Every structure is written in C-alpha cells, then in structure tokens.
Amino acid sequence: MPGSATEQRVRAAFAEQAGWAEKLGSPFMVRLTRLLGERLERTSETGRRVLDWAGDPRAGADNVPLRLCGGLHALVRGGALPGLAAFYPPHPPGDEEAFGAALEDALREADEALLPWLDSAPQTNEVGRSAVLMAGLLAVADMFPLPMQTFELGASAGLNTLLDLYAYDLGGLETGDPESPLRLVPEWKGPPPPAARVRIEARSAVDFQPMDVRRDRDRLLAYVWPDQPDRIRQLEAALAVAERDPPHVGQGDAADWLESKLAAPAAPGRTRIVLHSIAFQYFPQATQARIAATIARAGAEASASSPLAWLRFEFLTADGRSSLRLRTWPSGEDRLLAWAHPHGKWVGWMEN
C-alpha cells in the first residue's frame, strides 16, 4: 500500500544503495538509485512489485535496487530504451528532472521486460578481485612451493577460477600469463607480494546459481555499473579468455559441495586451496558454519607434503572494509595479508 512500512523500507534500500555507490566511486549509480527510490510508483507492474517487496530489499539481502538497475542497464545496452540511454554514460548527466522523467517512461515502456530481472539477485563476477586473490596465491606458493588444487565457493561464472590465466602487475611484480588479453594493475600500497610461482594443476568451483560465460554474457555485463568503463573492459577481456577455456562451475550448496570435495584423500605433493571473494557473507549462517568445520577437519589431516589453505577476500562487518586473509595448515596459522578495495581497484599489502 502507498506509504506503508514495506514501501518505506524499499525506498530506504534505494537510498542505502546510493550511499554504497558513492563510497565505491559511481556518481551515475548514486543518481540512478536515488531517483528510482524517489520516483517509483505503482503505475507499472514493476513499480508495484518493487514497492510491495515481501522480503528484505536491502543490499545485504535481496538487493532489489541492483536487480532493477541491472535490468535497465541490459535494456539500454541492447538498444531497447533510447530515451533513457541518452542519460547513460558516456553521455553527460543532463538535467536531473529530465532524467527522472525518462526513468518513469522507461519503467512503463519496458514493464514486461523488466519483471524477470526482479526474480533473482544480481550475480556479478567481478574479475578485478582476481588481482587480490592472485596476491594471496603468491603468499601460499611462497609458503608451500607445490602445485595447487583450487576450490572456489560462490564462483558465479567462474571467471576468478581462471585467475592464473590473466596478467598482473602487483606492486611492480609482474606475474601470471604475459600473453593474456586481461592485464590487472591495481593501485598498490606497501611492498609487493612474494615473487613465488603459482602452478594450478586442478581447479573446481561451485555456485548456488552458476552463470555460463557464453549464455549469460549480456547479463554479466549488465550488472557492471555503467560509469565504470574499466570494469566493463576487464570483464570483456576475461570473457574472451573464458571463451577459449570455459570454466566449469558446479551447481549446488557450497557446504555440501566442499564436504564432498575435501572428503577425498589429499594427494601428496599438492596444496589444496579453498578460496572465495565477497561471497561468504551471502551464505546462510548454517552454511558458513559447515564450511568452516569442513575446512578445520581437513586442516587437521594436512601435512607438510599435503598442506591446506583457506584464502578469504571478504567484507567483515567488524572491520568496516574488505580484507584478504589466509589460514594455512598443518600449522593453523591465520594471517591478514591485505586490505583491498572490494572491486580490486587498490590493494594495501601488509609487510612480508
């Protein structure tokens, strides 16, 4: 109902998302989410469904604002909304009142096309995070100079599963595949990571709703914010790599999947690495607990010839920012490796 507590929560979720966009350096998304939160009405089925959202619309839950923004971006990229496209990058911002009117027109015009975008939460595959994870793998390789077997949780389309196929400049340390079409050069603070050799012999990944790098290409691109062209170019380059070597991402619950994977005896002479990036926070608490328990059990059986590592690039509420942490067995040592931008734009590496 108009003015209901539900509607107020939804509009507040758009305002909250505008705040996150400001922190992450996206003035276009600040404007878009704020205007949507102010101008959404029940004159379309999309407006009614959003304003009467039955669940939790906020960013850490159903993330309704980015569901709608992803749908609008997809339609703009596909040429279906030329009136709205005139206000999207690379065009200048234009008059705010005119932008708001164009949004209202788009919501009515594309009502039916937008509805499917509300059915599932946004699934980004932010490939810039590979730079942070690669730095973590260098730390693992420095501790255990062995071939690796990786297990990625919450992998989306699996682009970060292929992280060793990209080129990097990490604080002056050149690593990865120098011939790769994707080269990641985050702003680096502190010393470079160890100059070790990363050798991934086997890789696997899981997601509750995996995406396909070919079938879902347009969907993946639609979730990248329109005024961040570097992220779009990075994603396009990663998709080009994946076209040549498509990753396989299994479908299932991360805890079930990992229990099955780590139940197999560890192969001597190989480091097993469980890794994830800005995904763990979205798992149910019971799933998080099972994953931690599974890794601890496997860690208890680790040895110098078959070590285990848990590499986590996550946003911890207690920190108020995203961090890269590494726990290794058989010692059980847990280290803070770096603070990092959630999209991998910068990395603050700790002293080696």
Side-chain angles (χ1 to χ4, degrees), residues 80 89 164 168 173 197 200 212 216 224 239 264 303 338:
D164 57 319
Y168 303 90
L173 176 68
R197 183 185 175 197
I200 300 179
D212 183 271
D216 297 316
V224 181
L239 288 167
S303 66

Side-chain angles (χ1 to χ4, degrees), residues 57-255:
R58 293 175 299 174
D62 296 343
N63 214 333
V64 175
L66 292 190
R67 295 187 191 209
L68 181 54
C69 291
L72 288 168
H73 193 197
L75 293 172
V76 165
R77 286 178 59 87
L81 294 172
L84 183 61
F87 294 90
Y88 269 61
H91 300 291
D95 177 72
E96 184 160 305
E97 181 60 32
F99 184 21
L103 273 175
E104 293 173 357
D105 291 342
L107 291 168
R108 289 190 295 269
E109 179 183 342
D111 193 12
E112 186 175 349
L114 285 170
L115 289 173
W117 288 85
L118 301 178
D119 291 338
S120 57
Q123 276 185 276
T124 56
N125 203 164
E126 182 49 64
V127 75
R129 293 170 184 157
S130 280
V132 185
L133 293 172
M134 186 64 170
L137 291 188
L138 289 167
V140 175
D142 187 56
M143 296 178 68
F144 309 114
L146 298 168
M148 299 174 175
Q149 180 178 14
T150 61
F151 307 88
E152 188 184 5
L153 310 181
S156 188
L159 295 178
N160 292 324
T161 302
L162 304 178
L163 78 174
D164 57 319
L165 304 184
Y166 311 143
Y168 303 90
D169 179 342
L170 304 177
L173 176 68
E174 300 278 346
T175 191
D177 178 3
E179 303 300 320
S180 177
L182 174 60
R183 186 169 185 265
L184 296 172
V185 189
E187 179 187 346
W188 200 268
K189 306 172 185 178
R197 183 185 175 197
V198 171
R199 294 173 289 160
I200 300 179
E201 285 193 345
R203 69 188 89 220
S204 54
V206 69
D207 197 276
F208 194 71
Q209 292 182 307
M211 300 185 79
D212 183 271
V213 292
R214 292 169 175 162
R215 181 193 66 224
D216 297 316
R217 175 187 173 87
D218 291 341
R219 190 173 187 88
L220 285 164
L221 287 164
Y223 286 128
V224 181
W225 294 351
D227 60 345
Q228 298 189 338
D230 288 345
R231 290 178 64 204
I232 293 174
R233 284 193 293 268
Q234 287 177 357
L235 179 54
E236 289 173 334
L239 288 167
V241 173
E243 281 283 334
R244 299 197 304 257
D245 190 3
H248 172 72
V249 182
Q251 191 280 325
D253 175 81

